[in-house]
Amino acid sequence: MAGKSLRKGRKVSWKSHGETVHGTVREKITSRTTTAGRTVAASKDEPQYRVTSDKTGKDAVHKPGALHPE
């Protein structure tokens, strides 16, 4: 998925432990930081996205290629 269409509030889905998870993009991460319980090695050239699961309310961080628009 093109990173340009992954904006805050966008509904997306991703695979986690063999099942499809639905959620919302919360933040585009463009620098090394700690979020969602782990260190994220993101950069402006290789951003990652913090997403929140609709089912559990927990946060996760994924690269753009793992996220699919809904």
Side-chain angles (χ1 to χ4, degrees), residues 2-55:
K4 292 180 182 179
S5 63
L6 290 175
R7 297 183 190 157
K8 184 177 179 178
R10 178 75 190 239
K11 290 289 192 179
V12 292
S13 64
W14 62 94
K15 294 284 187 182
S16 179
H17 304 287
E19 60 180 90
T20 300
V21 179
H22 302 275
T24 305
V25 174
R26 295 294 177 208
E27 165 186 29
K28 180 179 182 179
I29 302 168
T30 58
S31 62
R32 186 176 185 88
T33 189
T34 300
T35 188
R38 67 182 186 96
T39 300
V40 179
S43 67
K44 287 185 179 183
D45 292 333
E46 294 186 29
Q48 295 190 38
Y49 293 86
R50 182 173 61 91
V51 293
T52 302
S53 167
D54 289 344
K55 183 177 180 180

